[in-house]
Amino acid sequence: MKAIRLYGAEDARLDDIEEPRTGPGQVKIHVERTGVCGSDLALFQYAPVPNEYRHPLFGEEGPHVLGHEFAGTVVEVGDGVDSVRPGDLVAVRPNVWDGTCAACRRGEPNLCAEFGFVGINGGGGGYSEYVVVAEDQAHRLPNEIGADAAAMVESTTVAWHAMKVSGAGEGSTALVIGAGPIGLALLLCLRAQGARQVVVSEISESRRALAAELGADVIDPRETDPAEYARSVAEGGVDVSFDASGVGDVTLLPALNALRTGGTSVVVAQFHHPVPIDPNLFLTTEKRLVGSFAYTDEDFQEVVDAIVAGTIDPRPLISSVVPLENTVDGAIRHLLGTGRNTEVKVLLAP
Ligand SMILES: [Zn+2]
């Protein structure tokens, strides 16, 4: 089968590799759609993990197949599998955990000491025609939902978990900095949860337009100070804020300054530089700055349920669908270049 594997920095190749075999308790999926994630772009640019390294839960050397945001049709199930059948549409929860460490025992498997992802650390990946995963990773959706929406479950769940971490709910006010796939998914999740007002700060005009269509109050941070604006629309500031851009102090500090006293700001983007923060900012305000990482199986099912119920429709975020053969130039290099400002979510079609 065809697969895109990462050999090193700036070196991803279209290979012909053996199809994975289905074992007991496993599900074989024909991949229909796979999202290209910002973390895939970072893996392509820096390839931070050497191919010789074996992740403890996968035990495989690289080069690994990329792609952790994927959905497709079940083609085969192993012994003991009863929750899905061949022909079912499934979205795959790609993260795995050991189930035994302190975090797992606390009920926070997303923070497992040995967390890993199919499509990053081994186990095949969505940048290929077939993937075999454990039954509990394959979440069924009605076939009429379609693979486009199903492939968006993963990135939407990153936002869903961040929203839960923030404590936002019915009537909340929010500031989202950055209208990329995660920022826009946050907007969808907050709206689905009954948030009263969501301000989205974004430089790109096309992404701002999409955020406005999806119900946000949009600002261009080059013209309007996000913190000042948030304090003007919500008395004393917003309840919650999210940095979904990871740019640096120019995004994280406004996210904190936009909060009301006791408000919560969530880091949901990867930063590439440290940001200096004055701890006194928290002393007299009881503001909180917290992180959000990945999601649990429960989060994943909640997003599947919201999409099936129609309270979340992530399809407007899909800006292009690219054939698997054209992944490196048509998706990865494109997104690292001019596509950065014109695309939102690019899906591959294996
Ligand atoms: Zn664990």
Side-chain angles (χ1 to χ4, degrees):
M1 67 170 183
K2 292 193 180 77
I4 303 285
R5 296 196 294 179
L6 182 67
Y7 284 77
E10 303 275 333
D11 184 9
R13 304 177 200 167
L14 177 65
D15 286 337
D16 204 344
I17 62 173
E18 240 180 90
E19 276 184 33
R21 294 209 186 96
T22 317
Q26 292 183 320
V27 176
K28 183 173 180 177
I29 297 154
H30 176 237
V31 181
E32 315 265 354
R33 291 287 187 272
T34 302
V36 177
C37 177
S39 60
D40 295 339
L41 304 181
L43 287 170
F44 176 78
Q45 282 182 292
Y46 307 113
V49 180
N51 284 330
E52 300 75 48
Y53 175 74
R54 294 169 185 261
H55 186 281
L57 299 183
F58 291 104
E60 299 165 16
E61 285 191 3
H64 298 303
V65 181
L66 287 169
H68 57 277
E69 303 180 358
F70 60 100
T73 307
V74 174
V75 291
E76 190 178 43
V77 300
D79 286 346
V81 171
D82 54 15
S83 64
V84 294
R85 287 184 297 193
D88 285 347
L89 174 67
V90 292
V92 174
R93 174 182 53 73
N95 57 344
V96 296
W97 42 77
D98 60 15
T100 58
C101 75
C104 285
R105 295 200 311 274
R106 293 200 296 271
E108 298 175 310
N110 57 312
L111 305 179
C112 175
E114 303 203 295
F115 73 81
F117 289 80
V118 170
I120 296 177
N121 309 106
Y127 289 20
S128 76
E129 294 176 87
Y130 295 94
V131 182
V132 167
V133 297
E135 179 182 16
D136 69 299
Q137 294 181 268
H139 288 249
R140 192 167 61 81
L141 294 100
N143 286 36
E144 56 271 23
I145 294 286
D148 283 357
M152 297 296 289
V153 171
E154 198 276 347
S155 52
T156 306
T157 309
V158 171
W160 184 262
H161 184 79
M163 178 188 71
K164 288 170 74 173
V165 165
S166 78
E170 184 85 36
S172 292
T173 52
L175 168 66
V176 176
I177 296 192
I182 299 300
L184 289 168
L186 270 163
L187 168 61
L188 296 176
C189 294
L190 287 160
R191 301 272 301 169
Q193 199 73 352
R196 181 159 56 85
Q197 188 165 19
V198 183
V199 177
V200 171
S201 171
E202 166 62 49
I203 288 171
S204 152
E205 191 179 347
S206 59
R207 289 181 174 193
R208 242 184 358 258
L210 179 55
E213 263 174 55
L214 297 173
D217 188 356
V218 296
I219 56 168
D220 180 343
R222 294 167 302 188
E223 290 166 5
T224 308
D225 179 71
E228 260 175 48
Y229 187 78
R231 289 196 301 265
S232 75
V233 297
E235 197 184 346
V238 289
D239 300 313
V240 296
S241 65
F242 302 86
D243 192 328
S245 73
V247 171
D249 53 359
V250 294
T251 54
L252 189 65
L253 298 181
L256 286 169
N257 290 326
L259 291 176
R260 62 164 169 79
T261 51
T264 300
S265 188
V266 183
V267 173
V268 66
Q270 188 174 4
F271 282 69
H272 298 287
H273 310 284
V275 176
I277 293 177
D278 180 357
N280 292 318
L281 176 63
F282 305 98
L283 177 66
T284 57
T285 65
E286 296 196 358
K287 290 180 182 181
R288 301 187 306 149
L289 176 62
V290 297
S292 176
F293 181 65
Y295 35 74
T296 64
D297 195 65
E298 184 185 30
D299 296 328
F300 206 87
Q301 186 59 43
E302 285 166 359
V303 170
V304 166
D305 292 343
I307 290 174
V308 173
T311 54
I312 291 178
D313 181 1
R315 288 172 296 186
L317 275 55
I318 301 167
S319 49
S320 305
V321 179
V322 172
L324 183 69
E325 292 77 3
N326 197 20
T327 298
V328 176
D329 289 333
I332 296 175
R333 290 191 189 280
H334 170 58
L335 283 167
L336 288 168
T338 56
R340 191 184 285 276
N341 286 317
T342 56
E343 302 280 358
V344 179
K345 179 56 77 180
V346 174
L347 296 183
L348 304 175

